[in-house]
Amino acid sequence: MPEKTITLDAISVTASKTETLAIDAPASISIVDHAEIQRRQPDNLADILRGTPGVEIAGGPRSTVQMPIIRGLTDNRVVIRVDGARANLNVGHKGGLFIDPELIKQAEVYRGPASTMQGTGALGGVLALTTIDANDMLEPGEKIGARVKAGYTSVDHGMTWNGMAYGRPTDNTDVLLSVTRKNTDDFEAGNGEEQPFTDDDYVNGLLKAGLDINDVSRLTLSLQRYSDDHELPSAPDGTSISNLTDRESTQTTAVIGYEYDDSANDWVDAEVRLYGMDSDIHEVRISDGRDDKRELQTIGLEGSNTVRFDLAGGELFTTLGGEIFEDSQEGRRDGAPTPGWYPDAEMLISGVYIDNTYAVTDRLELGAGVRFDSFDLSADGQEDRSDQAISPRFSASYRVTNWFQPYVSYAEAFNAPSLNQLYNDGLHFSLGGFGPDNFFVPNPDLDAETAKTWEFGSNFKADDLFVGGDALRAKVSYFRNKVEDYIEQSTDIMAGTTTSSNLPEAEIKGFEAELNYDTGVMFAGIAAARIRGENSRTGEYLSNISGDKVSLSGGYRFVDHGVEVGGRANMVDAQKRVPDGEDERDGYATFDLFANWQADDVVNGLTVNFGVDNILDQKYRTSAATLYEPGRNVKISASMKF
């Protein structure tokens, strides 16, 4: 008989370099764990993060174009990590983040500046994706195993196939190999209209291995290769299909990690990670065969060590760390360099930091840290740029009672202008004789952005609240983020120019709340966000600020039968606070149902998932998209473990 379980206390990988429960961190952190990901049967990043407070997805429903927006900030203002490797590709309307949802074990969102330990660029926050490994799949006592899985989605007649093999060849090694193939047709929106060129076809492979050198040190390896091939508009985040391409997107990621963790050693708690990511978008225009390539190679090295001290009756954790990474981009059109719209360019960023967490008493915790960053940007035939910055942070939390922990934090973050913002100077788009062609105008004087954020929040944690064994976890926060030298791209249709420039100051502020309750049999959650953003000097609204959002979820477990059923609601208010010249966005509400069955009593190792997304067949667009989302979508998948 399945056991009643409650797993609300997920471990954060972004709050610090030591294991920290997200609910205890003095920060706004949301974690979508593997159980929740399986409930959602996600097709893309938006499905994984839907309902997370303060988070939206830019680019629309085409999966290869989606990028996260955290508290109104996106692009290079959000640090994205996959198994620790930076995913830095962002090619304007074409996106740049390629993931296989089948392999995601955990998605963690850190909202707010997180540059001190997560690296330069985290003005809006961090999205950290972690893939599964052999230890996640093996049952206790098992040495070897395999799983096959098949899934179907009705809205696009999509089929997903996944096969895994995993095991522990020796007592101190583990390895996992996984291959996923997904193929879909164009999907239908809520009005029944087919959305053209929304089909997908990708293959993703993952190899993960670990070696326990001894009881306190571990070496890990992660290799991942993603490849898709389908027809897409040249600007796939929009509705126009007048400029079609045959597009291939590939991404290869390698991460080698080393960890040393000895609870008996107060002086060494270290980790080192070497990573590389090669991302390539290759488009051949169908009308005339024009061949465009954009490639970004990222190589990085980071490491840290945490030392523990007994200090005046309290415990002090001091972390010293650093990071260096290089982005090298290359653009080609019909084999020739493209100095205008995707120039050959490089960016080298290095940083060092010290961060301290001091548990003064069992109730009072103080945190303080500082990071120094420098960057160098260069492009063929253009002016080099370099700069540096210091980013401090501090926090204080006090556990008033066992269940109530208010906190206050202040953090600064630093973000260099991207290579494209600084150097693009070619043709942006043509109006085909209905107006002047539009050209990028480079701005070599762009300053780096800096964010200064105050946050006031509270963590709530209670067990055995209403019935024996239940658990309540909640986070609420109010934040005010002032971004100086905010970089904004503006397009002047009549002048025929597109350029990036600095606003003296932008302000983004808001309220977020997230609550989860679980008895082991029943579970429920609510998340809400209300965010406002404007140019501090002119009062003009900022782009990418979503409408007020409330998300609800809940379900019931028939524990004796291994069955779980439930539903979700996602409600977003209309957004009328938009910049001049930008269309207002309608509000919407969607409702989903889900069920899963751990069918071991019938067939050993069998799991069946069923769901219906957008059950009322709502026709809607998210606040950051122009293309309509899928309509009613019946999802079913079955997996078998051997």
Side-chain angles (χ1 to χ4, degrees):
M1 182 179 71
E3 297 182 357
K4 182 176 74 171
T5 59
I6 298 176
T7 55
L8 292 183
D9 293 335
I11 293 175
S12 167
V13 300
T14 62
S16 69
K17 294 298 182 179
T18 58
E19 289 191 355
T20 303
L21 295 180
I23 189 59
D24 293 330
S28 294
I29 298 173
S30 295
I31 293 178
V32 185
D33 62 19
H34 193 243
E36 180 62 26
I37 291 173
Q38 293 302 301
R39 288 187 193 112
R40 299 184 186 189
Q41 299 185 77
D43 291 316
N44 48 45
L45 182 66
D47 286 347
I48 294 175
L49 299 181
R50 185 171 288 116
T52 304
V55 179
E56 292 293 329
I57 298 297
R62 292 185 174 110
S63 61
T64 55
V65 191
Q66 296 183 345
M67 300 295 285
I69 303 172
I70 301 179
R71 290 182 172 176
L73 297 172
T74 186
D75 298 333
N76 60 326
R77 300 178 180 116
V78 173
V79 170
I80 303 173
R81 293 186 181 270
V82 181
D83 285 339
R86 276 180 171 263
N88 289 346
L89 179 67
N90 187 357
V91 193
H93 301 287
K94 302 179 186 299
L97 178 61
F98 313 121
I99 66 168
D100 175 12
E102 190 58 43
L103 299 181
I104 302 301
K105 175 175 65 176
Q106 176 173 295
E108 179 176 349
V109 177
Y110 186 114
R111 299 185 295 276
S115 283
T116 304
M117 283 185 286
Q118 292 304 318
T120 181
L123 270 65
V126 179
L127 170 63
L129 301 174
T130 306
T131 59
I132 58 177
D133 60 32
N135 294 317
D136 301 314
M137 300 301 297
L138 288 167
E139 301 294 336
E142 283 188 339
K143 289 292 186 180
I144 190 170
R147 192 198 73 172
V148 293
K149 183 176 181 179
Y152 173 78
T153 50
S154 67
V155 76
D156 54 11
H157 306 292
M159 289 296 303
T160 303
W161 305 91
N162 174 263
M164 290 184 190
Y166 40 85
R168 295 190 183 98
T170 64
D171 290 341
N172 66 332
T173 61
D174 56 87
V175 63
L176 176 143
L177 178 65
S178 172
V179 178
T180 301
R181 168 69 189 275
K182 181 174 182 178
N183 183 273
T184 76
D185 295 332
D186 298 335
F187 68 74
E188 293 182 352
N191 59 357
E193 292 182 359
E194 185 177 277
Q195 303 298 290
F197 304 103
T198 56
D199 60 307
D200 209 351
D201 187 358
Y202 73 76
V203 176
N204 189 80
L206 173 68
L207 171 65
K208 294 190 78 171
L211 169 64
D212 295 323
I213 301 171
N214 50 45
D215 292 340
V216 297
S217 59
R218 177 172 170 83
L219 186 67
T220 57
L221 170 68
S222 175
L223 297 173
Q224 189 168 185
R225 169 76 172 182
Y226 175 99
S227 176
D228 71 34
D229 185 357
H230 49 171
E231 291 185 1
L232 283 178
S234 180
D237 62 345
T239 57
S240 173
I241 58 173
S242 61
N243 198 6
L244 293 176
T245 67
D246 183 359
R247 169 169 159 169
E248 297 180 6
S249 304
T250 59
Q251 191 168 78
T252 303
T253 307
V255 184
I256 299 174
Y258 173 78
E259 299 176 0
Y260 183 97
D261 183 6
D262 182 0
S263 59
N265 188 337
D266 290 340
W267 292 96
V268 183
D269 184 355
E271 62 178 7
V272 179
R273 184 182 297 113
L274 173 67
Y275 62 86
M277 183 178 290
D278 184 283
S279 305
D280 191 348
I281 296 177
H282 182 197
E283 296 178 332
V284 178
R285 193 160 65 180
I286 294 174
S287 62
D288 58 8
R290 188 181 73 187
D291 191 306
D292 288 333
K293 294 182 179 180
R294 302 165 180 82
E295 182 179 13
L296 180 73
Q297 293 182 338
T298 301
I299 298 176
L301 174 67
E302 61 179 347
S304 66
N305 181 59
T306 300
V307 181
R308 298 186 293 270
F309 302 94
D310 290 327
L311 183 64
E315 193 170 22
L316 173 65
F317 296 82
T318 297
T319 300
L320 294 170
E323 175 187 31
I324 182 169
F325 69 91
E326 182 180 58
D327 283 345
S328 301
Q329 72 173 37
E330 181 180 277
R332 293 293 182 267
R333 172 163 290 174
D334 296 325
T338 54
W341 51 267
Y342 199 75
D344 293 353
E346 294 182 347
M347 175 171 64
L348 179 67
I349 291 183
S350 58
V352 294
Y353 64 86
I354 180 172
D355 195 80
N356 302 277
T357 299
Y358 182 28
V360 183
T361 68
D362 291 341
R363 296 183 179 274
L364 176 63
E365 181 178 283
L366 303 177
V370 64
R371 181 184 182 97
F372 172 81
D373 279 303
S374 65
F375 73 82
D376 293 282
L377 287 77
S378 62
D380 291 351
Q382 301 202 48
E383 182 180 343
D384 293 353
R385 279 293 312 280
S386 62
D387 202 351
Q388 58 190 34
I390 294 176
S391 303
R393 76 105 189 167
F394 80 84
S395 64
S397 64
Y398 187 79
R399 192 169 294 281
V400 179
T401 67
N402 291 333
W403 56 269
F404 177 43
Q405 181 192 20
Y407 68 84
V408 58
S409 68
Y410 173 81
E412 295 186 11
F414 164 80
N415 182 45
S418 71
L419 294 172
N420 293 335
Q421 288 171 334
L422 198 65
Y423 293 128
N424 278 9
D425 69 349
L427 178 67
H428 184 194
F429 58 83
S430 174
L431 295 177
F434 294 95
D437 290 345
N438 193 276
F439 292 86
F440 286 110
V441 177
N443 183 357
D445 297 323
L446 271 181
D447 290 325
E449 300 171 310
T450 56
K452 301 177 180 180
T453 299
W454 283 95
E455 182 170 320
F456 304 89
S458 290
N459 301 326
F460 300 86
K461 179 171 68 173
D463 298 320
D464 301 319
L465 187 61
F466 300 114
V467 297
D470 69 354
L472 174 71
R473 303 290 185 265
K475 280 180 172 283
V476 298
S477 64
Y478 171 80
F479 68 91
R480 184 184 294 268
N481 187 359
K482 291 187 176 182
V483 184
E484 297 177 357
D485 296 316
Y486 182 89
I487 298 175
E488 186 173 66
Q489 179 177 284
S490 57
T491 298
D492 189 327
I493 297 297
M494 297 308 298
T497 60
T498 296
T499 190
S500 295
S501 57
N502 293 109
L503 301 181
E505 185 177 89
E507 182 179 73
I508 303 174
K509 59 185 178 182
F511 169 83
E512 297 165 342
E514 188 171 25
L515 181 150
N516 292 284
Y517 176 72
D518 199 328
T519 69
V521 176
M522 300 176 60
F523 58 95
I526 181 171
R530 183 180 186 270
I531 300 175
R532 301 290 184 266
E534 64 179 30
N535 183 325
S536 300
R537 301 292 177 89
T538 66
E540 184 177 2
Y541 297 119
L542 300 179
S543 299
N544 296 321
I545 305 297
S546 67
D548 299 344
K549 180 169 74 172
V550 176
S551 300
L552 305 172
S553 63
Y556 188 89
R557 301 183 183 100
F558 297 89
V559 179
D560 293 341
H561 303 285
V563 174
E564 178 184 86
V565 297
R568 294 179 294 268
N570 196 45
M571 296 162 284
V572 180
D573 195 14
Q575 178 58 294
K576 301 182 182 301
R577 297 170 295 277
V578 297
D580 295 341
E582 188 173 301
D583 293 336
E584 296 180 356
R585 300 186 286 273
D586 295 334
Y588 61 89
T590 61
F591 303 90
D592 310 329
L593 297 176
F594 62 84
N596 63 73
W597 178 29
Q598 304 290 331
D600 285 309
D601 291 343
V602 178
V603 179
N604 188 39
L606 176 64
T607 300
V608 179
N609 283 279
F610 175 81
V612 185
D613 289 353
N614 193 7
I615 192 170
L616 299 182
D617 208 22
Q618 173 83 7
K619 180 184 177 183
Y620 74 103
R621 294 178 292 187
T622 63
S623 60
T626 58
L627 196 66
Y628 286 103
E629 295 288 317
R632 184 184 299 114
N633 189 13
V634 178
K635 299 180 175 181
I636 186 168
S637 65
S639 65
M640 178 75 74
K641 294 182 70 174
F642 303 94

